Amino acid sequence: EQQEFVKKLQSEREKLQVLTKEFQKFVSTRQQFDAQLNENELVLSEFNRLKSSAEVFKLVGPVLVKQELSEAVGTVKKRITFIKGNWSAATRTSPPRRKNKRSPGKI
């Protein structure tokens, strides 16, 4: 009986290690999405402060290329939408949202 309990305990420990790794990956991904989203929202807020006649440049390789403000704003808005969409897709399969089929506390 004790050996059976030890085997179950080891099995649960292994499951916990897997879940811990998945959770760490989830947290890392979340931080990456947050950083990208914050950066793009900051850029958008800066664009919103500019006059419509302002000159905007984007970096293409080692060269700065002039870009229309409206085009730059549209690009950043699309990026924000894309980041939020990817985040939504990532959270649908994340460890915190997975349903556990057994009762907590039972080994």
Side-chain angles (χ1 to χ4, degrees):
E1 187 177 302
Q2 187 177 4
Q3 285 180 336
E4 187 178 315
F5 177 75
V6 170
K7 285 181 183 180
K8 286 183 180 180
L9 190 59
Q10 287 173 338
S11 173
E12 293 300 315
R13 186 177 138 252
E14 289 170 3
K15 289 177 187 176
L16 178 62
Q17 288 174 334
V18 168
L19 289 174
T20 300
K21 285 181 184 178
E22 288 177 4
F23 184 72
Q24 288 171 342
K25 183 178 177 184
F26 170 79
V27 169
S28 175
T29 302
R30 169 70 190 242
Q31 290 171 338
Q32 186 178 22
F33 279 119
D34 282 345
Q36 290 174 348
L37 185 60
N38 287 338
E39 180 181 345
N40 280 279
E41 287 176 340
L42 177 66
V43 169
L44 185 59
S45 71
E46 290 296 318
F47 281 162
N48 289 334
R49 294 175 58 200
L50 296 176
K51 295 179 181 177
S52 60
S53 61
E55 291 185 341
V56 177
F57 296 85
K58 72 177 181 177
L59 188 61
V60 179
V63 180
L64 286 174
V65 178
K66 191 172 182 178
Q67 187 177 28
E68 292 294 321
L69 179 59
S70 60
E71 182 182 342
V73 168
T75 300
V76 172
K77 285 181 178 179
K78 285 179 188 174
R79 263 194 241 134
I80 289 171
T81 301
F82 180 76
I83 292 166
K84 288 179 178 179
N86 282 345
W87 173 244
S88 293
T91 57
R92 281 193 291 273
T93 59
S94 67
R97 290 194 179 248
R98 278 199 325 209
K99 301 222 180 196
N100 192 348
K101 293 184 180 178
R102 62 182 179 80
S103 301
K106 290 187 179 178
I107 295 178

